[in-house]
DNA sequence: GTGGTGCATTAATCTAGATTAAGAAATGCG
DNA sequence: CGCATTTCTTAATCTAGATTAATGCACCAC
C-alpha cells in the first residue's frame, strides 16, 4: 500500500474535477468543502487520522467538493471504482444524496431548496402535503407558502 | 424473498427502537423523520419505490428516526447485520454521521450545533480556526463569536 | 346534510443570524 | 526582528424565516 505526503495548503481536488480519488488519512488533517455561487465557502467535512475523504459520488460524475490540506498529511490514495455490487452501489448513492442535502441546507435559501426539490423529486411533490415538503426542506409551511407566492410575483 | 403490505398511517419504527430493520420499498411511499425536543417534526427522507429506508446507524444503536407509511406500500424487510467487512462498516458509519448532520442542520440552533460539534470532535476544535468551525456549522464567524459570548454570559 | 379535522394561505410581529464595518489580537513570513 | 496577513471580536443595522393568529377549503364520518 503506497502512501503519499502532502503539504499544508495543497489542493487535492477541485469542484468539477473528473477521475477523483479516495483518500484515507493516515496522519494530519484534510477538509472537503464547496464554494457556492456567491463565493461563500461551506465545509462539508474535516478528516483527521483514520477518516476517508472523497466526493460521495459515483466515479463518473464531476466532483462537487474541493479537498485541501489543513495539516501536513500522509495519505493512502485509492482509485474510485464504478461499484458493481448493487448493494454497495445503493450505499454510494445514498451518500451522494446526503452530501447534496447537507450542502443544500448550508448554502441555499428556502426558495432555492424548494426549486431543487421540485426538480429532483417531481413525483413526490404531487403525492405529499406541502407541509411535509416544508419539513423536508427545514422550513415552516407558512414560510414555504410565502416564498412561493413571492417567487410567483417576481416573474 | 418475502414481502409485507403495510397501510397508510402505520408506524414501522420509532425513535429509540432497538433491533430495527431495513425496508426496501417495492411500491407505495414511506417517510423517515425525527421529532425534536420542542416537538417539531423534521422529515429526513421520503422513500418511494426502489428506495431503501432505515436508520443509518449500526445495528446495535437505538433508532434516531421514526418511519411511517404515507401511501399503502409493499416492502421487503431485512435484518440489519453487524457489518463485518471493514470497508462496508466505514460506509455505514459515514451514513450515520451524515444523517446526524442533516438532523442537526434542520433542528438545532447555532449554539446547539456548536456544542454538539465540540463534544463530538474536541480535538478538531483545537486544530482549526474558529471561522472554519463556523463554516462547518453553517453559520458566519461573526455569529459564532456572538452566540459563544452570549452563552458564556448566561452562566 | 352538519360537524370535525387537517391543510393552505395571508398578514402582523418577532428574532436568530446575516451583513457591514471597524478595531484588536494573533500568526506567519521576509 | 518588524511588517503583513489572517483571525477574532464587537457593535449597528438588516432580513429571511419563525411565530402567532385568523380565515377559508377540502375531505370524511356520521
Amino acid at each position: 500500500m503506497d502512501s503519499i505526503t502532502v503539504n499544508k495548503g495543497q489542493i487535492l481536488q477541485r469542484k468539477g474535477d473528473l477521475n477523483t480519488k479516495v483518500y484515507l488519512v493516515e496522519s494530519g488533517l484534510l477538509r472537503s468543502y464547496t464554494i457556492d455561487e456567491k463565493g461563500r465557502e461551506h465545509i462539508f467535512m474535516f478528516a483527521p487520522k483514520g477518516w476517508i475523504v472523497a466526493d460521495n459520488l459515483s466515479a463518473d460524475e464531476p466532483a462537487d467538493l474541493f479537498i485541501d490540506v489543513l495539516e501536513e498529511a500522509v495519505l493512502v490514495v485509492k482509485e474510485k471504482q464504478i461499484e458493481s455490487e448493487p448493494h454497495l452501489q445503493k450505499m454510494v448513492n445514498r451518500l451522494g444524496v446526503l452530501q447534496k442535502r447537507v450542502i443544500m441546507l448550508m448554502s441555499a435559501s428556502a426558495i432555492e431548496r424548494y426549486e431543487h426539490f421540485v426538480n429532483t423529486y417531481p413525483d413526490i411533490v404531487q403525492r405529499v402535503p406541502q407541509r411535509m415538503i416544508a419539513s423536508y426542506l427545514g422550513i415552516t409551511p407558512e414560510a414555504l407558502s410565502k416564498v412561493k407566492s413571492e417567487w410567483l410575483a417576481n416573474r
Side-chain angles (χ1 to χ4, degrees), chain A residues 7-14 17 33 66-69:
Chain A
N7 295 319
K8 181 172 172 168
Q10 209 172 318
I11 296 178
L12 302 175
Q13 174 183 302
R14 285 168 209 275
D17 280 1
Y33 60 101
F66 294 79
I67 297 174
D68 70 6
V69 182

Side-chain angles (χ1 to χ4, degrees), chain A residues 52-136:
Chain A
I52 287 171
V53 212
D55 242 270
N56 295 308
L57 301 172
S58 71
D60 50 354
E61 288 179 80
D64 269 356
L65 299 175
F66 294 79
I67 297 174
D68 70 6
V69 182
L70 297 182
E71 292 171 6
E72 180 176 283
V74 177
L75 309 175
V76 178
V77 185
K78 294 181 188 177
E79 292 291 327
K80 268 189 196 172
Q81 58 249 38
I82 310 262
E83 214 45 85
S84 53
E85 213 264 276
H87 177 56
L88 264 174
Q89 200 184 351
K90 283 232 158 132
M91 289 189 87
V92 171
N93 233 295
R94 287 164 78 72
L95 283 170
V97 169
L98 286 182
Q99 175 177 308
K100 286 196 166 68
R101 181 102 185 270
V102 168
I103 291 169
M104 193 59 45
L105 285 169
M106 288 200 298
S107 63
S109 68
I111 191 65
E112 289 165 342
R113 301 211 288 271
Y114 179 69
E115 289 190 79
H116 179 264
F117 182 81
V118 171
N119 293 332
T120 313
Y121 306 107
D123 51 323
I124 303 284
V125 178
Q126 313 300 102
R127 291 160 70 186
V128 306
Q130 199 134 290
R131 60 175 194 83
M132 287 197 186
I133 297 173
S135 169
Y136 181 90

Side-chain angles (χ1 to χ4, degrees), chain A residues 22-42:
Chain A
V22 175
Y23 300 100
L24 168 59
V25 181
E26 304 234 290
S27 71
L29 185 61
L30 304 187
R31 73 168 170 161
S32 60
Y33 60 101
T34 32
I35 299 179
D36 67 25
E37 333 74 55
K38 289 145 212 144
R40 288 176 307 202
E41 218 174 86
H42 304 277

